[in-house]
Amino acid sequence: MSESEAKSRSATPPSKAKQATPTTTAAANGEKKLTNKELKELKKQEKAAKRAAMKQANGISIEQQQQQAQMKKEKKQLQREQQQKREQKQKNANKKKQNERNVKKSTLFGHLETTEERRATILALTSAVSSPKTSRITAAGLMVPVVASALSGSNVLTASSLMPVGPNASSTVSASAPASTTTTLPASSAALSAGTSSASTNTPTAIQQEIASSNASDVAKTLASISLEAGEFNVIPGISSVIPTVLEQSFDNSSLISSVKELLLNKDLIHPSILLLTSHLAHYKIVGSIPRCIAMLEVFQIVIKDYQTPKGTTLSRNLTSYLSHQIDLLKKARPLSVTMGNAIRWLKQEISLIDPSTPDKAAKKDLCEKIGQFAKEKIELADQLIIDNASTQIEESTTIVTYGSSKVLTELLLHNAISLKKNIKVIVVDSRPLFEGRKMAETLRNAGVNVMYALITSLDTIFNMDVDYVFLGAHSILSNGFLYSRAGTAMLAMSAKRRNIPVLVCCESLKFSQRVQLDSVTFNELADPNDLVNIDYENPVERRGNKGALLNQFIKERKFEKKKLAMENKPKGNKIGGKKGSEGESKDASNEEDSNSKNILDGWQELPSLNIVNILYDLTPPEYIKKVITEFGALPPSSVPVILREYKGSA
Amino acid sequence: MSSQAFTSVHPNAATSDVNVTIDTFVAKLKRRQVQGSYAIALETLQLLMRFISAARWNHVNDLIEQIRDLGNSLEKAHPTAFSCGNVIRRILAVLRDEVEEDTMSTTVTSTSVAEPLISSMFNLLQKPEQPHQNRKNSSGSSGMKTKTDYRQVAIQGIKDLIDEIKNIDEGIQQIAIDLIHDHEILLTPTPDSKTVLKFLITARERSNRTFTVLVTEGFPNNTKNAHEFAKKLAQHNIETLVVPDSAVFALMSRVGKVIIGTKAVFVNGGTISSNSGVSSVCECAREFRTPVFAVAGLYKLSPLYPFDVEKFVEFGGSQRILPRMDPRKRLDTVNQITDYVPPENIDIYITNVGGFNPSFIYRIAWDNYKQIDVHLDKNKA
């Protein structure tokens, strides 16, 4: 025992022991003029002293006692720290759990990138890429860039009173302004007024009043809250303020963050036309593998025209990597289609073949011409050949079933019905949620073709109507002969095969892919599950109109925030402005709820065991396909790898 | 008796009252205001009960004829509401059994040995022993029976049938739960079926199995039901995936079993489901060798044979498919409301009396119906 004590004594620094002694003596001296609290403390100390005396009587020295006390203290401290740590851990775990719950991954398709993740990435990028001088609207309010730059870093400034304040409410502004935590910095008022006047009907005088009314403490408050917010989601600096809270949750995936960071590093390289194309693709404004490919090639022509070779490199070496940055962004809109991939591969090869000695201008012009030629050769002329070939299949008065919308097929059917004047009947089968077939049916109908439109649920009836052929378009044909096409194609092909109706696929060789795949679950593209929540007959692009899901999200969050503000303001006794505002808002909210509640699945994200699967493609096994018509002629699906190998040079 | 016997002839107050109820029910059927075979069956039985209590007849054959007429008019009002005709045929069978029993008892008294039904091939070629005489005897003696007896029999039969229909889910659940295992992925293309819903919920809660259910949307006619169904399942803590109709083939390779609800089951083992797209789903399942099991209450068994499928499949209006059409540029559309699934695409039927192969369904049907009542319409019979 004595040994261990001696060890511990030597271990503790002597200064601590010295510190402890004067406190006890001081306490003993100033005993009388003390408050209750101190009295209690004194009593404790007395007891401790008594105990010490007892212990001393037992043969333990004061120093030893003090040391023991110190050890006890340390122990307690340690325990406390541990507890805190544990709590922290638990909190973190809870947070993680919540995140896991929020980021919904369906059971079967957990390995695929969700639309939400893609959207978050694009949003992060566009917000970082688009010039910092444009003002942005966030859920917290309008962000005015000049002020933001003045704040250097913490770049949010709310002007949330812009909406409630009407032109004739200037008298109540002073009352409502502090309530709605409106703050404007006196600095850069010119920029502010410019921003606000464009945003609302507010008069400059009202703003000035606001500025006058908002005192320094308010400013400090908002700044504090801003920095807090920034601290909460500083996953990627510079984008924090722009991402709606829902999208933030998808940023807990570390690989996603790193990919975004990587893209952000090269944000200055990205061409604005690529940004535009990305948003078009992401919102399904351009759909179909051929239209997507054409759009991409057109944009590449612009990009190449605008390209300037940096000093120290040559065009043939640098342009490829420059294009890679653009393609990285395009990939984030939607996974590249096979046609796009093939075109990119071809383009990169062409670039590498350019003689480094050719002047940039000539090389660029040459490239642009080649791209145009490629599009013409691989798509337009190929389509022409396919149409010529497939037309021999279509006899007088046949009934043809197609699925979805395909550019080649539309042209083929129009050619046969109008130019060749064959009396054909076309049945366009369609499905939710994109309703692409409607477009095709309308085009054909407007040209005077005998068209019937049906949904995939009525397949049984359709195939009871003396169908002669099924013609299908393709997204791609894989090397093992599987047809990768819009979801639903496989079912149609299967039904046709079971009824001994020949299935023909029209497909440019540009769509041939080296990939092999066995079923539709392993590799696919997930579309937005929210597109399936509405039960109506419009496709998501029509339904959204110009406001994307993001805008809707923003509106929702804005409403929520306003409600929260109103709730916060109420107890403060805000008389006129606050009350009016909250009443109006509650009415608005109830109306909104009414109009929203018609969708049964509206709150599907909150139900942990409910998921919506919206896959875009499926795989049709080669045994359902009678033949594939390409510009090289008609062949069985098993010959796809042959074509790939034989014509690799040209493809 | 003429076919209008129950509509106009009788001056009695009670019968006219019944006639009013019949007319309103016929109107409701015609307007498709009664939805679901369960509701239709129960309402038909209630109506039949009132009809029988108010009916007057001299001979039991008279009563049977009146019920047949009623059934015929109801079937004409809604030709694809099969459960309506089914329950009426069931009651007719009960009555006919009773009649037969009476005749049997009389024949037992007249002839010492009760002749068994032809059960052996040897008997097949034997000369039947004085059948004509027996028949005559029996019909003569049964005429002596009191009428009130049959009223009682019919009403008791109706009450039993109502009980049976109301307790069908229990019987089905017990059999069906043994067919799914833990962590299985199930797919159901008929989200409007209450039997399927109840079965899945009890499988989750009572047997505590965890499984995933894929629900197809059945656009355009059934999407609302599908979404509600999915929500209910999710609220009961069942992993649920809402799947568009087009993705069925893509997902079928992962599905362990397909469960379908039925609207009517025919003697050949085929079924009509109250949801379009089911037949394609079952075809997919067949292609992937995924077992399909159909759940059906006994009252859904129909003694009809689907010679002409198109007669049994219902079609709806175009407004749900192409809501905003340019009137100058019209398109033809198809909107199939129900769907016929052929017997070869169904592996097993789970009814409240047991599980059966589709090829055996005819036998169950003839246990409950009489051949003579297959066609209630006199012109066809």
Side-chain angles (χ1 to χ4, degrees):
Chain A
M1 181 182 164
S2 61
E3 246 189 52
S4 67
E5 267 178 15
K7 259 188 193 170
S8 59
R9 201 192 306 167
S10 64
T12 50
S15 63
K16 268 188 188 169
K18 270 178 199 168
Q19 268 178 354
T21 37
T23 49
T24 48
T25 49
N29 289 339
E31 217 171 299
K32 267 160 202 175
K33 10 172 173 163
L34 287 171
T35 55
N36 277 353
K37 225 184 183 179
E38 279 161 313
L39 268 175
K40 267 185 192 171
E41 199 120 303
L42 277 178
K43 271 181 191 167
K44 255 190 199 171
Q45 276 171 357
E46 255 173 65
K47 270 186 188 171
K50 267 183 197 169
R51 248 183 278 146
M54 289 270 281
K55 277 178 188 171
Q56 208 170 14
N58 289 341
I60 306 168
S61 72
I62 300 175
E63 270 180 45
Q64 279 173 335
Q65 284 170 29
Q66 280 170 352
Q67 212 172 333
Q68 276 174 345
Q70 191 69 32
M71 276 172 70
K72 266 187 194 168
K73 257 189 201 168
E74 275 174 14
K75 239 187 199 172
K76 266 191 187 168
Q77 187 74 28
L78 259 178
Q79 274 178 351
R80 223 173 287 151
E81 272 172 20
Q82 272 174 348
Q83 208 175 350
Q84 273 179 344
K85 263 186 195 171
R86 243 176 282 146
E87 275 169 15
Q88 194 76 31
K89 256 188 196 171
Q90 241 173 7
K91 260 188 198 171
N92 280 347
N94 281 348
K95 235 184 188 178
K96 254 186 197 170
K97 259 185 204 166
Q98 251 181 349
N99 274 343
E100 269 163 28
R101 213 175 299 142
N102 284 330
V103 181
K104 279 211 153 187
K105 290 266 192 177
S106 59
T107 35
L108 284 169
F109 295 95
H111 57 286
L112 295 176
E113 193 184 29
T114 62
T115 335
E116 230 141 73
E117 284 170 357
R118 281 206 297 269
R119 230 182 244 153
T121 322
I122 291 176
L123 195 67
L125 281 172
T126 42
S127 70
V129 170
S130 61
S131 130
K133 274 171 197 157
T134 54
S135 55
R136 287 172 215 149
I137 303 170
T138 72
L142 185 73
M143 251 176 54
V144 186
V146 185
V147 184
S149 65
L151 288 171
S152 71
S154 56
N155 49 358
V156 187
L157 190 78
T158 54
S160 50
S161 73
L162 282 181
M163 277 132 111
V165 175
N168 53 358
S170 54
S171 58
T172 58
V173 160
S174 55
S176 67
S180 51
T181 64
T182 310
T183 45
T184 41
L185 279 186
S188 69
S189 61
L192 241 184
S193 65
T196 46
S197 60
S198 67
S200 74
T201 52
N202 228 339
T203 50
T205 54
I207 295 168
Q208 265 163 13
Q209 253 181 316
E210 255 181 83
I211 293 169
S213 66
S214 63
N215 48 27
S217 70
D218 274 340
V219 175
K221 251 190 215 167
T222 12
L223 280 183
S225 71
I226 288 162
S227 58
L228 256 179
E229 271 176 16
E232 264 172 25
F233 41 75
N234 54 0
V235 202
I236 299 161
I239 60 158
S240 56
S241 52
V242 202
I243 297 187
T245 44
V246 165
L247 294 185
E248 271 162 48
Q249 285 150 3
S250 43
F251 269 113
D252 64 349
N253 183 351
S254 58
S255 66
L256 184 64
I257 291 171
S258 63
S259 78
V260 171
K261 274 182 181 162
E262 208 168 285
L263 280 169
L264 276 178
L265 281 181
N266 302 315
K267 66 177 183 185
D268 298 333
L269 292 173
I270 285 163
H271 195 275
S273 60
I274 291 279
L275 270 180
L276 186 70
L277 177 65
T278 311
S279 89
H280 279 325
L281 291 179
H283 292 107
Y284 297 98
K285 281 186 179 151
I286 303 174
V287 281
S289 57
I290 289 291
R292 268 158 80 193
C293 184
I294 291 174
M296 184 192 72
L297 288 174
E298 277 168 2
V299 169
F300 276 172
Q301 278 179 327
I302 299 170
V303 171
I304 289 171
K305 242 177 235 162
D306 291 351
Y307 170 76
Q308 298 291 333
T309 319
K311 276 172 193 167
T313 53
T314 54
L315 182 131
S316 60
R317 281 191 195 154
N318 192 45
L319 183 57
T320 324
S321 70
Y322 177 73
L323 279 179
S324 299
H325 292 308
Q326 322 292 329
I327 292 158
D328 280 343
L329 181 66
L330 279 184
K331 267 184 199 161
K332 287 290 160 196
R334 278 175 70 184
L336 289 184
S337 72
V338 171
T339 47
M340 288 160 94
N342 283 341
I344 287 167
R345 201 172 307 128
W346 165 83
L347 183 60
K348 282 187 174 170
Q349 203 189 345
E350 284 297 314
I351 292 169
S352 68
L353 287 177
I354 293 172
D355 187 5
S357 61
T358 46
D360 278 8
K361 215 175 183 183
K364 285 196 299 193
K365 201 184 165 200
D366 193 33
L367 264 182
C368 287
E369 267 172 18
K370 268 186 180 160
I371 290 174
Q373 210 186 335
F374 179 83
K376 204 168 186 189
E377 211 173 87
K378 285 284 164 193
I379 295 166
E380 275 176 46
L381 291 178
D383 281 359
Q384 208 48 56
L385 284 170
I386 290 170
I387 288 167
D388 285 346
N389 193 329
S391 295
T392 58
Q393 288 291 326
I394 302 173
E395 301 124 35
E396 185 64 27
S397 69
T398 50
T399 307
I400 293 164
V401 171
T402 75
Y403 182 71
S405 174
S406 160
K407 198 166 156 281
V408 199
L409 284 184
T410 317
E411 281 166 21
L412 167 71
L413 294 170
L414 282 178
H415 176 73
N416 275 286
I418 308 301
S419 314
L420 302 180
K421 293 206 170 68
K422 288 176 190 168
N423 176 28
I424 54 170
K425 183 184 177 188
V426 182
I427 303 176
V428 179
V429 184
D430 205 357
S431 75
R432 221 156 95 90
L434 286 175
F435 294 117
E436 290 165 296
R438 204 171 283 166
K439 196 176 70 192
M440 180 161 171
E442 258 158 38
T443 323
L444 291 176
R445 182 72 201 91
N446 291 349
V449 184
N450 183 4
V451 182
M452 180 174 214
Y453 177 87
L455 291 169
I456 197 160
T457 43
S458 312
L459 266 193
D460 209 35
T461 320
I462 296 159
F463 280 117
N464 280 338
M465 290 181 181
D466 295 327
V467 175
D468 297 302
Y469 293 106
V470 174
F471 271 85
L472 294 175
H475 175 91
S476 142
I477 294 186
L478 307 182
S479 180
N480 53 349
F482 278 69
L483 169 69
Y484 186 73
S485 191
R486 180 69 69 232
T489 312
M491 202 191 229
L492 196 83
M494 178 209 67
S495 292
K497 168 77 183 171
R498 282 175 75 95
R499 290 163 175 81
N500 287 327
I501 298 164
V503 177
L504 301 130
V505 178
C506 292
C507 172
E508 298 88 350
S509 68
L510 185 64
K511 288 175 173 174
F512 286 8
S513 163
Q514 297 272 11
R515 210 155 42 93
V516 287
Q517 192 181 337
L518 288 172
D519 67 28
S520 329
V521 180
T522 47
F523 180 86
N524 214 313
E525 187 182 333
L526 290 179
D528 190 358
N530 292 314
D531 291 345
L532 286 174
V533 170
N534 292 55
I535 308 172
D536 58 16
Y537 319 95
E538 287 176 78
N539 71 33
V541 182
E542 279 171 34
R543 191 185 305 133
R544 279 190 219 118
N546 264 331
K547 51 178 187 174
L550 281 178
L551 184 54
N552 281 332
Q553 184 61 40
F554 162 73
I555 291 167
K556 231 190 242 168
E557 273 172 31
R558 179 93 188 90
K559 265 206 183 104
F560 179 71
E561 207 140 305
K562 266 169 100 183
K563 235 187 204 170
K564 220 170 65 184
L565 277 178
M567 290 291 279
E568 279 170 8
N569 289 340
K570 260 185 188 167
K572 277 184 192 168
N574 215 277
K575 277 144 211 165
I576 318 151
K579 254 190 187 174
K580 261 189 186 170
S582 67
E583 269 173 27
E585 274 153 25
S586 64
K587 258 185 199 170
D588 274 2
S590 64
N591 282 342
E592 197 65 27
E593 272 162 27
D594 282 349
S595 60
N596 275 347
S597 60
K598 65 187 172 189
N599 292 323
I600 299 152
L601 287 184
D602 263 335
W604 68 275
Q605 283 100 337
E606 273 113 61
L607 277 169
S609 50
L610 185 61
N611 263 307
I612 300 176
V613 169
N614 188 6
I615 52 172
L616 279 182
Y617 298 105
D618 67 7
L619 274 184
T620 311
E623 54 262 35
Y624 298 153
I625 300 165
K626 266 272 149 66
K627 70 176 176 183
V628 181
I629 301 170
T630 73
E631 67 261 37
F632 301 119
L635 34 103
S638 53
S639 302
V640 170
V642 180
I643 294 285
L644 272 176
R645 186 172 264 264
E646 293 293 313
Y647 295 87
K648 208 176 183 183
S650 63
Chain B
M1 272 278 154
S2 75
S3 63
Q4 272 95 37
F6 52 87
T7 50
S8 57
V9 177
H10 294 289
N12 193 312
T15 32
S16 69
D17 198 27
V18 166
N19 288 339
V20 170
T21 5
I22 291 171
D23 287 344
T24 49
F25 187 62
V26 165
K28 262 167 98 183
L29 279 179
K30 274 184 181 162
R31 297 188 201 115
R32 309 288 193 264
Q33 280 169 330
V34 203
Q35 285 291 326
S37 44
Y38 179 78
I40 290 177
L42 283 185
E43 282 201 36
T44 313
L45 283 174
Q46 301 288 2
L47 181 79
L48 195 61
M49 186 133 58
R50 292 193 61 182
F51 176 76
I52 288 174
S53 13
R56 290 158 166 251
W57 63 87
N58 298 319
H59 185 266
V60 65
N61 288 342
D62 192 9
L63 171 68
I64 288 173
E65 213 45 49
Q66 283 182 35
I67 296 175
R68 278 177 63 107
D69 285 335
L70 171 70
N72 189 25
S73 67
L74 293 185
E75 273 197 340
K76 270 191 182 149
H78 193 341
T80 55
F82 299 99
S83 64
C84 170
N86 293 347
V87 289
I88 286 177
R89 288 189 184 95
R90 284 279 291 271
I91 298 305
L92 283 173
V94 168
L95 274 175
R96 284 188 200 273
D97 272 340
E98 195 65 25
V99 173
E100 209 170 281
E101 221 167 80
D102 286 344
T103 55
M104 285 292 273
S105 60
T106 49
T107 40
V108 166
T109 49
S110 63
T111 59
S112 54
V113 186
E115 180 83 12
L117 285 169
I118 297 165
S119 57
S120 159
M121 283 257 276
F122 298 110
N123 298 352
L124 210 72
L125 301 172
Q126 271 175 0
K127 195 182 166 196
E129 287 169 26
Q130 29 167 259
H132 287 284
Q133 209 183 338
N134 276 350
R135 276 290 135 77
K136 265 181 187 170
N137 276 350
S138 66
S139 62
S141 58
S142 69
M144 312 301 255
K145 280 270 182 183
T146 47
K147 301 164 209 165
T148 45
D149 202 2
Y150 286 114
R151 196 191 301 270
Q152 210 53 47
V153 164
I155 284 175
Q156 192 52 47
I158 290 169
K159 277 180 182 160
D160 288 347
L161 193 52
I162 289 176
D163 264 5
E164 185 199 308
I165 290 173
K166 281 186 175 164
N167 295 320
I168 258 165
D169 294 331
E170 302 267 317
I172 292 175
Q173 277 155 20
Q174 271 161 8
I175 306 163
I177 282 171
D178 292 338
L179 288 174
I180 61 164
H181 63 74
D182 215 13
H183 294 293
E184 186 152 28
I185 296 180
L186 305 169
L187 183 143
T188 175
T190 54
D192 56 337
S193 163
K194 281 191 215 73
T195 316
V196 174
L197 178 70
K198 278 183 195 159
F199 156 64
L200 290 174
I201 288 172
T202 36
R204 174 80 189 91
E205 291 189 336
R206 218 182 288 163
S207 315
N208 205 23
R209 298 215 180 144
T210 48
F211 48 84
T212 306
V213 181
L214 311 185
V215 183
T216 65
E217 286 196 306
F219 192 79
N221 301 307
N222 239 322
T223 322
K224 257 186 195 154
N225 290 334
H227 285 182
E228 263 162 16
F229 182 85
K231 206 171 184 183
K232 272 180 206 157
L233 286 184
Q235 278 160 355
H236 284 89
N237 219 3
I238 299 168
E239 194 73 33
T240 314
L241 283 169
V242 178
V243 167
D245 305 294
S246 51
V248 170
F249 190 93
L251 293 168
M252 192 53 89
S253 57
R254 296 292 181 279
V255 173
K257 258 157 212 125
V258 176
I259 306 178
I260 61 171
T262 53
K263 191 178 174 204
V265 181
F266 300 117
V267 277
N268 70 337
T271 181
I272 289 275
S273 67
S274 56
N275 199 342
S276 56
V278 179
S279 75
S280 325
V281 172
C282 292
E283 235 177 287
C284 270
R286 170 78 2 190
E287 202 68 18
F288 281 91
R289 304 284 185 275
T290 308
V292 177
F293 70 87
V295 288
L298 212 54
Y299 71 98
K300 294 193 174 163
L301 253 67
S302 168
L304 302 173
Y305 193 97
F307 289 111
D308 187 5
V309 174
E310 266 142 48
K311 214 173 73 184
F312 292 134
V313 174
E314 245 182 296
F315 291 93
S318 67
Q319 74 279 7
R320 283 181 176 242
I321 290 181
L322 282 168
R324 277 186 310 230
M325 223 180 352
D326 190 347
R328 285 160 300 164
K329 285 162 183 166
R330 284 171 197 277
L331 284 177
D332 289 337
T333 60
V334 191
N335 182 11
Q336 203 177 332
I337 290 177
T338 58
D339 214 343
Y340 172 72
V341 185
E344 60 265 24
N345 289 344
I346 294 172
D347 288 83
I348 210 160
Y349 277 98
I350 308 293
T351 69
N352 46 326
V353 292
F356 302 107
N357 222 41
S359 58
F360 193 68
I361 286 295
Y362 81 99
R363 198 70 196 78
I364 315 297
W366 298 132
D367 279 349
N368 293 292
Y369 303 106
K370 291 277 174 268
Q371 196 87 50
I372 196 171
D373 294 323
V374 169
H375 295 290
L376 297 175
D377 197 347
K378 268 183 214 144
N379 303 330
K380 278 184 182 172

